[in-house]
Structure formats: structure tokens, C-alpha cells
Amino acid sequence: MMEVTPPQTLKTRLLKKMVLLSCRFPWLTLALAILLAAGGLFLTLTRLGYLSNPNDLIRHDAIFHQYYLNYVKEFNVGDEFLIIIKGPNPNQNKACLEYLANQFENSQRFEKVFYRIDFSTLEKRFLLFLPTAELQAMETNLNQFIGLMAQNNTPVLDLNAMLNRANAMFDEKFLREESNWDEFKPFVTQFVGSLNTLADQIEGKTDQKQAPSVAGLMGMQGNLSDLEKLKTEHEYLTFDQGKIWLMMLRPKEKDETALSPHAKNITFTRDIIAQTRTQFPDLTIGLTGEPVLDADQIESSMTSVAWATVITLVLIAALFLLSYHEFGRPFLAISTLIIATLWTFGFTVLTVGHLNIISNAFAAMILGLGIDFSIQLLGRYEEELSRGLSYLEALQEAVGHTGNAVLTGAITTAAAFYTMCFNDFSGLAELGIISGTGILLCVISTLFVFPAFLTILDRNRKNLSQTTAPNHWRAGFLLKQPFAKHPGLVVGSTVILIGLAIFYAFRVSFDYNLLNLQNPKLESVRVEHELLASQANSVIFAVSTATNLTEARQKADQFKALPTVLNVMTLTEVLPTQQEEKLTVARRIVNRLKQLNLDTDISDKVDVPRAQHELSQLLQQSREAENQARKYTLLSKRARDAQATFAKLIPALQRAVNAFKGQNQEELGRRLNAYQVNLFQEIQKALRWLASQQTDRGITEEDIPLQLKDRYIGQTGKILLEIYPKENVWDREPSERFVKELRSIDPQVTGTPVQNYEYLAVLKRSFEQAAWYALAVICTAIFLHFRSLKSLLLTLTPLGLGILWTLGLMGLINLRFNPANIITLPLVIGIGVAYGLYAVDRFKENPNKTLFDTSTGKAVWLSALTTIFGFGSLIQASYRGISSLGLLMTLGVSMCLITSLYVLPAFLKFFSRKKASAS
């Protein structure tokens, strides 16, 4: 049967005339093309910028982003590095922190080194931070202590006085009073610890640098310890009971021309950290923070994309050599692609002006997609040459037929990219503009520059039909259209695969966690994960604002009451409540202590024989008291309590008494005196500290440390509230709960968790919309190309099957959509539909030939392989977002290739047989 030649359309005639013009002036065409490419390269090297901050990828007129920008402006928020120091010893952590702080402060590279809050303005009023009930208990205990341990308004702070006090408490009359047991039982508990410390001291086991414990001996030491703990916790940025210490650094300058504006500062910081690790080898010191995560992400992704570009070019060149058995025409096809890519870079500089974390992968995409057009045109050109046509006739036929389909395919692919522009996510819109235009520039280069190249190469060559590769690509079983004689088997298998794909497709989900996109081996990512695993949870926080302190305190209390909130940091945290009531109690405490002489010399020698006698007497009284109590344990609860109390005390007393035996009296006196100094120095220090407290007024806003004012008071006087999450808000469900609860208090709440929540929602919604827009535009373009609803449905069938099978494979291998690979939604539609378009177009041209009887089968295979190379080369990326994008696109393109070249022809043949038998 003769080949069917469809009538030429206006578009076909125009394409032929334009290729004639290109072939008539090939050198001029190439000169203009190369000149534009050189301009694009120059602009790229000198003016192309890079956006590293994800917040720059969101449209500034988005309402939630406006809240964030207002916060940044009000509080002069800058990029901050975060240094994490982790170790079991808080004192060693503190030493490391202060060493690092000194290094960074002396470097003059940072405008802010925030690691400590100067509480000197508040320390003299620290009593006001205690709860009122604790202050009242402190007053009661202090009065009891003074009553027992003071003589003539002077506290007797020595070992003999303490043992004498203990003996007084063991008096039978004292113990018979039930009310005295409330004081006696806690005294015994603390006294046991002191006795064991005393025995250690006598035996020479005590580290002289460590003061013995006196907690509870004066009935108020626990409260003072709470104050010291409160001071430490607020003075330094610590988590996990002092095991994690933080430091924030804000660089003075950044290089806006660099891909990562903080690259030099990050390198400097890491060098200092590496040096510090040699000084503190037992500690873990890490660097993280949003700018560091962004910089590491950029470096990782850019390196991966660069390697992907090289790998793609090498694989394409190797594929051409294997399939065409020569490098002349394939080299020209690659040169055509490179020219179009440089045009795209120039267009990017002139229009968008920069790349971002999403659009920086466009080069690998353009290389993988743009070469398709040259492959299709070259395949048809060589097919026409093999029929004996001249180079010009072959070019016209190739452009008139395959070029027409290539142009439609380019329009559908470009449309898939352009649909990304219709959303609130400017980062995605920029990718759509750059890549969509890049595809059109590739097809323009293919239809005009490539023919010029071929004209210069072939117009003077003889026997052109002998220079072509075989039309039938005999490269293996898959390239011979397997099961061509058994279309029913293909249809039946397809139905089964559809069912399996639907089953597994329901397992596919969306991973919202941005940390899961990062390379887990990067230090900044590893440190952030360590924080998430600790009690610190995460260093990212939401923010709210208040117009005054009263509103700030009210909001802070409301936020703290939310189940998802771990803590709230704001100015009111250093402004105590109920100050007037506390001042009344604090004044009584301070006035009572000021009546005492607190300058007692506690270094007087201990009376050793007296101390030994007091201990022996205590031991004897304790044994007698225990024996008496044991007689009544069955009848009295108080007797049981007494028996248990003395049973706990007796071993400690026995040990202390035994420690005296066999000791040299002089050495014994020296050790007891050291014990007395260590013990009572702490008490004396605590009493003096209490007496120095200022009670003339409460704590006001003027007393707040400067570091806190700088952080929590804005330019217009607004007060900042930092709200820390209790859960891991990198994950979607905790993030959604956190944001929704915060908005129930303040609808304008913002900060990194809120930005991430909205950012990902906008991103996901934008890509889904882009996919539907792409499908609508593509359907319109294909319908206009064929002007047939039936042809449109045939073209879309392999696309639909390919997408369904891809989803099924995702569910099977547990590959999830994420903020990086969701770009495949519109891309697979734009790319995959082209294969069905080429197959249906060639089928309509001549239904009697299979695809592999023509150049189309080989060309589609080559096109798909180059696209797979372009995206598959991204799989090696250490940045997991790009790697998953490469894997998903490879799967999608592969499935669309299989359904277009094998399933679609089988369907056509199977149903044509049914139709023929029915007629």
C-alpha cells in the first residue's frame, strides 16, 4: 500500500520557508546564533545572581509573608549562626562557650555575639524572682536557724556549734513535741549527708576543691540553690540540664554577589570551631542555623547539579556515538543545544536576574529535554537522506513533518513550565519562566541553527545516503517492539498492571519535612537533628508581638497554656509578678540579717575532743531513741517514723565516730578545720548575699539587661514574644497543630515554623495547580495540532497510563512526594505527552508502518534516554531533594516511554483487529 501524504498546513509551509532561509545563509545564521550565545555567557559570568533565602521565593504581597517582613523590619532581624556545645559537664561547657565567645568577639567579623545575659542590674533584687510562698518559707526557716545557731546577734558558724545544735534537737522534751518533727526529719536527712562528708574528710577521701553539702542545715539552702539555678539558666542559653549550651552569631557583612552570601563567614566560623575542638576534645561542638543550612544546601545542590550537567553531556555524546556510528551530525546537535542553553542563561540574567534553589537545576533539565528536538529532526533527516533525497530536500521534509510535531511537543513542554507562573510562589514562577523560555529557545535553535549546521556539513558531501545510520535500530529485544504479534497479551498485562498501580498508588504521601531534603551527613543538618532528639527540641520558634508589657505578659500566659508550646521567651520573663507582696517579705528577711554580725571568723580551730564527745553522745542518744521507738511501732505511726529516721542516722554517726579512732590528733584537727571552713563558708556567703539584697523598690523595665532589650524591643517600641514548640515542627502534623493553636491567640503570629507551614502549603498547591493548567494547555495544543478529539485521546492515553504506573512504583518502593520532587507533576505531563504525540503523529502519517520501521521509534527512544540522562544524573546528588527529583522524573519518563512505544501501538492494533472482525 502506498504511503499516505497528508496535505500541508500553513504552519508546515511556513516552517519549510524559514528553514530554506536558514540554509541559504548558514554562516550568517550561525554567526548571529554564536554572538547571542557569547552574550549570554558574558552576562552569566558577570551579572547572574543567586537567591539563597527560601523567604525570598515567596511573593511579598502574600499576607502571611507580610507579617514576617514586618517582624524582620521591626526587630532588625538578621541572619544568625547557631553554635551548639554539648557535653555532660556544665562547667566544661561554660568554659568552652566563653573561650569561643572571646575568639569571635576579637575577630571583629560579627556585630553580635549573643551567649550570655548580663544580670548585674538584677542580681541585687533576685529575691523577687522567687514565688511568694518560697520567700515566706525562707523567712520562717531563717528565723529558726538564727534562733538555734546565733548568740548575741552573731551566728555561730563552726562544727562544734552544729553538733551542739544537733544534740539539743535530740533532747527528749524536743522530740516529744510533734510539731518539732517537721523540722527534725529534714534536718536528719541533710545531717546524714554532712556526717558522711565529715567521715570522708577525716579519712582523707574528700576532694578539697569540693565544698561539703550544707543543703537544709539552715533550713533555707534549697531556696538559694534555686536562685543560683535560676540565674544560670537565664544567664546562659542552655538546655537539657546544662548539657547543651548555645551561642548566636550575627555577621557584620555578607557577600551579596556570592551564591551563598555567608560562605566566607561560615568558613571562618568552622575554622575557629575546629581549633576549639583541640582545646576541648571531650565536647561536641557544631554549627547550624538557617543561613548555615541554606549555605550547605546551596553548595551541596550546586555541586550535584554541576556533576549532573557533565554526566548528562557525556552520556548524550556516548549515546550518539553508539546509535549513529559517527560523531559529526550528533556533535552539531549537541552544539545546537549548548547555544540554546547559553541563550537561556542570557535571558535569565536580563529578565529574572538570578537563580534560586529551585531554578538552579534548569540547566540539566534543558540539556535533557532540549536535545530531544534535535534527535527527532536528525532521525527524520537521515531517514529522508537514505531515500536518496538531497540535503535541502531532506531538511525540508524533516522540518515539514517531524519538525511540525517537534514544535507542538516543544509548545506542550514549555506550556507545562509556564503554568508554574500562575501561583503565589515566586521561586516556582521563576523556574517556569526560565525553563519554559529555554524549551522554546531550544526548538528555535533546532529548527534554524541546526539546519544551518547541517547545510555547512552536508551540502558538498557526495553519496549522502551512505552517511546515515540504519533506520532500523537493531540494538536489542526491546527496540524491536516485542509482542507486536500479540497485542492481546499487552492489553491484558496492561489491565493487570493498572490494578496493581492503583493499589500501590494509595500508599503515596507527601513528606513536608524540609530537613529530610538535606544531606544528613552535613554538620549543620546533623546538629539540628541532635537538637531535635534532645530536650531542646529545636531552636526555631514562632513570634508574636505586643504593644506593652501588660499585653506581653497576658499573651505569654495564653501561649504557655497551649498544649503544643514548650516555652515563651519575652521581657516579662525577667519582670516578676506580685512584686509588692514579695517586697514586704524580702524587706523583713534583709532587715533581720542586717541586725546580725555576719563577719564571724570561721577559720578557728575545731575543738577535737569536744567534737568527738558530741558525736559519741549523738550516737548513744540515737540508739536509745531507736530502741524506745521500736517498742511502739505497732501502736504508733509516729513511733514508726521515729524508728525509720534513727535507723537512717545511726550508720552515718557510727561511721563518723569510727573515723576518729586511730587518727593522729594534729592531723585530725587539720582535717576537721578544713571541713569546717568548707562547710560554713557556703552558709556565710549565702547569709551575706541575702543581707545585700536591695528592697527599696521592685524590678522595672529600666533594670532589664541591654542584651534582652536589643532582642525583645522593636524600633517602634513593640515587644517580641518568642514561642518555642514542644514537638518537632519540621514534621507537618505537629507544625499544623502548633500554628493553628498559636493563631487562636494571635492571627498575625509569624516566624520560621509559620513560614515553613505556609511556604510548603503554597508550594504544594502551586504545583498541583500547575499540573492542571499544564494538562489544559497541552490538550488545547494537541487538539489544534490534530484537529481531532480521537487523536487527542490517543495521545493522552500513554500519558495517563505512565503517570498511574509511576504512582504505583512510588508506593511500591516507598518514594514520597516532597517540596523538591513535586515539580514532576507538571513536568511529566509536558514531557511524557510528547512521546505519545510523536507516536500518534507518525501513525497518522502512515498507519501501515510500525514505529521501529521508521526513524520515529529510534528517535523517541533516544529522546527519552537523553531526558532520562538529564534527570537520572541528578540521582547521584547528595542533596536528597534533587536526588529524589531525579529518581521520580526518571521513573515518570520511563513509564511514559514504555506506554507510548509499546502499549499504545498494541492498543491500536488490538482494537483495529476487533473493529475489522466486527465489520
Side-chain angles (χ1 to χ4, degrees):
M1 185 177 293
M2 295 180 61
E3 185 172 320
V4 178
T5 303
Q8 293 187 356
T9 62
L10 176 62
K11 184 170 68 172
T12 302
R13 293 195 298 271
L14 286 174
L15 286 173
K16 286 187 175 183
K17 288 182 179 180
M18 294 177 77
V19 78
L20 275 174
L21 184 64
S22 175
C23 294
R24 183 175 297 177
F25 304 102
W27 287 109
L28 178 61
T29 301
L30 290 180
L32 290 173
I34 293 173
L35 182 63
L36 289 173
L41 179 61
F42 174 78
L43 290 173
T44 301
L45 296 176
T46 59
R47 292 175 53 186
L48 183 63
Y50 193 94
L51 291 183
S52 59
N53 191 336
N55 288 312
D56 292 332
L57 306 183
I58 305 171
R59 285 179 52 176
H60 285 190
D61 58 353
I63 296 177
F64 74 90
H65 196 49
Q66 282 290 317
Y67 297 150
Y68 181 78
L69 295 177
N70 292 337
Y71 151 66
V72 170
K73 181 179 179 181
E74 173 72 22
F75 295 95
N76 191 27
V77 176
D79 294 334
E80 290 185 337
F81 301 173
L82 188 67
I83 294 179
I84 313 296
I85 299 171
K86 187 176 181 181
N89 188 331
N91 292 328
Q92 192 176 23
N93 294 342
K94 179 181 177 181
C96 177
L97 183 78
E98 292 180 341
Y99 176 85
L100 276 171
N102 183 61
Q103 297 291 312
F104 291 126
E105 286 172 342
N106 292 336
S107 71
Q108 303 297 313
R109 296 179 69 100
F110 300 94
E111 66 177 69
K112 180 181 290 186
V113 181
F114 182 54
Y115 70 100
R116 178 178 177 271
I117 301 170
D118 182 9
F119 277 114
S120 60
T121 58
L122 295 175
E123 192 166 357
K124 292 296 185 179
R125 305 180 190 277
F126 250 42
L127 280 181
L128 299 181
F129 286 103
L130 287 178
T132 305
E134 289 191 22
L135 269 177
Q136 292 169 341
M138 175 183 288
E139 180 184 21
T140 300
N141 294 332
L142 181 63
N143 289 332
Q144 291 176 346
F145 170 78
I146 293 173
L148 288 169
M149 298 290 288
Q151 295 177 1
N152 300 322
N153 286 332
T154 300
V156 182
L157 302 178
D158 60 50
L159 177 62
N160 293 121
M162 183 184 75
L163 294 176
N164 182 263
R165 178 197 176 199
N167 266 310
M169 297 183 76
F170 280 51
D171 181 75
E172 184 178 354
K173 289 178 63 177
F174 180 87
L175 295 178
R176 285 184 181 278
E177 293 292 334
E178 186 171 353
S179 60
N180 290 338
W181 278 85
D182 293 335
E183 178 184 350
F184 182 71
K185 287 171 65 176
F187 173 84
V188 167
T189 300
Q190 300 300 330
F191 190 46
V192 166
S194 297
L195 288 170
N196 285 323
T197 304
L198 173 64
D200 287 338
Q201 185 79 34
I202 295 173
E203 295 167 0
K205 298 178 181 179
T206 298
D207 182 358
Q208 295 299 318
K209 296 180 182 179
Q210 288 290 105
S213 171
V214 295
L217 286 178
M218 49 188 279
M220 66 176 193
Q221 198 54 217
N223 302 107
L224 295 178
S225 299
D226 290 341
L227 280 173
E228 286 297 316
K229 181 179 179 183
L230 178 71
K231 178 183 174 184
T232 301
E233 286 180 350
H234 286 79
E235 185 176 16
Y236 294 92
L237 308 177
T238 66
F239 293 97
D240 201 7
Q241 298 179 336
K243 295 178 183 177
I244 296 177
W245 293 57
L246 308 182
M247 175 187 295
M248 296 180 183
L249 305 174
R250 182 182 295 179
K252 284 184 178 179
E253 299 177 355
K254 55 184 179 180
D255 184 1
E256 298 291 357
T257 62
L259 291 180
S260 173
H262 290 298
K264 293 181 180 179
N265 292 322
I266 291 172
T267 299
F268 174 81
T269 303
R270 282 178 169 154
D271 289 342
I272 295 295
I273 290 175
Q275 174 191 342
T276 305
R277 287 191 181 113
T278 64
Q279 304 290 326
F280 300 89
D282 297 332
L283 301 184
T284 300
I285 311 173
L287 178 66
T288 187
E290 291 183 54
V292 182
L293 287 168
D294 292 340
D296 286 348
Q297 173 180 279
I298 291 168
E299 182 179 353
S300 177
S301 61
M302 291 298 289
T303 300
S304 300
V305 169
W307 274 108
T309 303
V310 172
I311 292 171
T312 300
L313 285 173
V314 170
L315 290 177
I316 289 174
L319 180 64
F320 277 175
L321 280 174
L322 290 174
S323 58
Y324 287 98
H325 307 297
E326 59 105 14
F327 197 63
R329 294 189 185 107
F331 174 76
L332 295 180
I334 294 174
S335 299
T336 301
L337 175 63
I338 292 175
I339 287 173
T341 304
L342 292 176
W343 290 355
T344 307
F345 270 106
F347 169 81
T348 301
V349 175
L350 294 175
T351 55
V352 180
H354 55 257
L355 295 177
N356 60 59
I357 190 62
I358 296 177
S359 63
N360 71 349
F362 91 91
M365 296 181 189
I366 292 296
L367 291 174
L369 296 172
I371 195 65
D372 294 0
F373 310 139
S374 296
I375 289 173
Q376 294 293 330
L377 194 64
L378 179 58
R380 187 58 181 262
Y381 172 68
E382 290 202 343
E383 180 182 344
E384 299 301 334
L385 287 179
S386 67
R387 294 170 53 199
L389 298 181
S390 67
Y391 84 91
L392 189 56
E393 292 171 330
L395 275 174
Q396 285 186 298
E397 286 299 307
V399 171
H401 292 288
T402 301
N404 196 348
V406 162
L407 181 59
T408 301
I411 291 172
T412 59
T413 304
F417 281 109
Y418 282 136
T419 55
M420 299 177 186
C421 301
F422 301 102
N423 61 78
D424 292 329
F425 194 71
S426 58
L428 176 57
E430 290 172 4
L431 174 65
I433 294 171
I434 295 170
S435 299
T437 304
I439 292 297
L440 295 181
L441 292 175
C442 283
V443 78
I444 291 171
S445 182
T446 298
L447 293 176
F448 299 105
V449 179
F450 192 38
F453 271 129
L454 292 175
T455 297
I456 294 172
L457 179 68
D458 290 340
R459 63 183 172 183
N460 295 322
R461 295 173 72 178
K462 297 180 180 180
N463 300 320
L464 285 175
S465 61
Q466 303 300 316
T467 64
T468 61
N471 281 342
H472 301 286
W473 198 21
R474 305 182 185 281
F477 175 68
L478 287 177
L479 308 180
K480 297 177 183 178
Q481 201 159 332
F483 310 115
K485 296 181 180 180
H486 306 282
L489 177 62
V490 176
V491 172
S493 301
T494 300
V495 173
I496 295 174
L497 290 175
I498 289 173
L500 290 173
I502 292 174
F503 174 78
Y504 283 106
F506 280 106
R507 298 185 179 184
V508 179
S509 59
F510 190 92
D511 183 4
Y512 288 89
N513 194 325
L514 292 173
L515 279 183
N516 291 341
L517 303 183
Q518 301 272 19
N519 178 3
K521 296 181 180 179
L522 291 174
E523 179 195 43
S524 55
V525 180
R526 189 176 66 253
V527 171
E528 178 66 21
H529 280 296
E530 289 176 358
L531 281 173
L532 291 172
S534 72
Q535 290 184 10
N537 198 3
S538 179
V539 294
I540 63 173
F541 51 84
V543 297
S544 178
T545 61
T547 56
N548 54 59
L549 289 173
T550 302
E551 183 186 353
R553 189 184 300 279
Q554 181 182 5
K555 276 191 171 183
D557 292 340
Q558 290 176 320
F559 284 130
K560 288 178 184 178
L562 297 176
T564 58
V565 173
L566 176 67
N567 193 18
V568 178
M569 297 297 294
T570 186
L571 286 182
T572 57
E573 297 301 296
V574 292
L575 292 177
T577 58
Q578 300 178 321
Q579 292 198 57
E580 287 302 321
E581 185 177 352
K582 292 177 182 178
L583 276 170
T584 302
V585 182
R587 288 189 183 110
R588 290 199 297 263
I589 292 174
V590 172
N591 291 336
R592 181 73 177 92
L593 286 171
K594 284 182 177 180
Q595 297 172 7
L596 301 179
N597 177 16
L598 300 178
D599 296 326
T600 305
D601 185 3
I602 59 175
S603 61
D604 291 342
K605 292 184 179 180
V606 176
D607 186 338
V608 177
R610 179 184 169 192
Q612 189 172 8
H613 173 72
E614 295 278 6
L615 281 171
S616 299
Q617 187 175 351
L618 281 171
L619 177 60
Q620 181 181 351
Q621 287 181 322
S622 296
R623 284 172 172 166
E624 291 175 357
E626 184 193 24
N627 289 332
Q628 284 294 111
R630 186 179 289 114
K631 296 178 182 178
Y632 302 101
T633 54
L634 296 177
L635 302 175
S636 169
K637 179 179 182 301
R638 192 174 72 179
R640 290 193 293 271
D641 287 343
Q643 195 272 330
T645 300
F646 286 111
K648 182 168 57 175
L649 176 62
I650 289 171
L653 281 168
Q654 182 67 66
R655 184 187 170 206
V657 169
N658 291 339
F660 275 81
K661 297 177 181 178
Q663 294 282 352
N664 176 277
Q665 290 294 305
E666 184 177 349
E667 177 63 20
L668 191 60
R670 189 185 65 80
R671 292 181 180 180
L672 288 177
N673 194 61
Y675 171 81
Q676 175 177 279
V677 170
N678 287 340
L679 176 67
F680 291 105
Q681 265 184 348
E682 185 180 350
I683 295 178
Q684 189 177 55
K685 179 182 176 181
L687 292 173
R688 287 173 176 172
W689 182 86
L690 279 173
S692 70
Q693 286 289 290
Q694 296 177 357
T695 58
D696 57 314
R697 61 174 176 82
I699 296 173
T700 66
E701 188 175 339
E702 285 70 28
D703 298 315
I704 295 174
L706 183 61
Q707 299 94 329
L708 294 180
K709 289 182 180 179
D710 288 343
R711 187 173 185 88
Y712 292 105
I713 299 181
Q715 296 181 6
T716 65
K718 288 185 177 180
I719 297 172
L720 177 69
L721 293 87
E722 296 175 347
I723 311 153
Y724 289 83
K726 189 177 293 183
E727 300 176 282
N728 178 9
V729 292
W730 289 103
D731 291 331
R732 186 61 174 180
E733 290 184 4
S735 172
E736 186 173 5
R737 286 194 296 269
F738 183 60
V739 173
K740 287 184 176 180
E741 287 189 5
L742 296 187
R743 284 178 170 170
S744 69
I745 307 298
D746 180 3
Q748 297 186 12
V749 71
T750 184
T752 299
V754 181
Q755 286 291 98
N756 287 349
Y757 173 79
E758 293 288 357
Y759 170 96
L760 294 173
V762 170
L763 178 69
K764 182 173 179 287
R765 184 172 62 251
S766 298
F767 275 113
E768 290 171 347
Q769 291 174 349
W772 287 110
Y773 292 153
L775 185 60
V777 173
I778 285 168
C779 289
T780 303
I782 293 173
F783 181 79
L784 293 175
H785 178 79
F786 289 117
R787 298 186 183 279
S788 166
L789 182 60
K790 178 181 178 181
S791 298
L792 170 63
L793 294 176
L794 286 174
T795 304
L796 294 179
T797 296
L799 173 65
L801 289 174
I803 292 176
L804 179 59
W805 288 0
T806 301
L807 291 173
L809 281 174
M810 289 178 67
L812 181 64
I813 65 175
N814 196 29
L815 175 62
R816 304 169 68 186
F817 282 116
N818 59 50
N821 67 28
I822 195 175
I823 191 176
T824 57
L825 288 176
L827 283 187
V828 167
I829 293 174
I831 297 169
V833 76
Y835 305 145
L837 172 66
Y838 298 145
V840 173
D841 191 77
R842 195 57 190 256
F843 176 80
K844 289 177 70 66
E845 185 178 337
N846 189 345
N848 299 310
K849 284 187 177 182
T850 66
L851 289 176
F852 291 100
D853 289 333
T854 68
S855 62
T856 300
K858 172 183 175 180
V860 171
W861 251 106
L862 288 174
S863 296
L865 285 178
T866 55
T867 302
I868 290 171
F869 291 161
F871 287 102
S873 62
L874 298 174
I875 297 175
Q876 52 78 34
S878 57
Y879 178 60
R880 292 192 294 186
I882 291 180
S883 178
S884 67
L885 167 63
L887 175 59
L888 186 51
M889 281 301 299
T890 299
L891 292 177
V893 171
S894 299
M895 293 302 100
C896 289
L897 171 68
I898 292 171
T899 56
S900 297
L901 294 190
Y902 303 111
V903 177
L904 178 61
F907 269 56
L908 292 172
K909 191 170 185 178
F910 178 78
F911 288 110
S912 62
R913 282 184 180 179
K914 291 287 186 181
K915 183 177 180 180
S917 60
S919 60

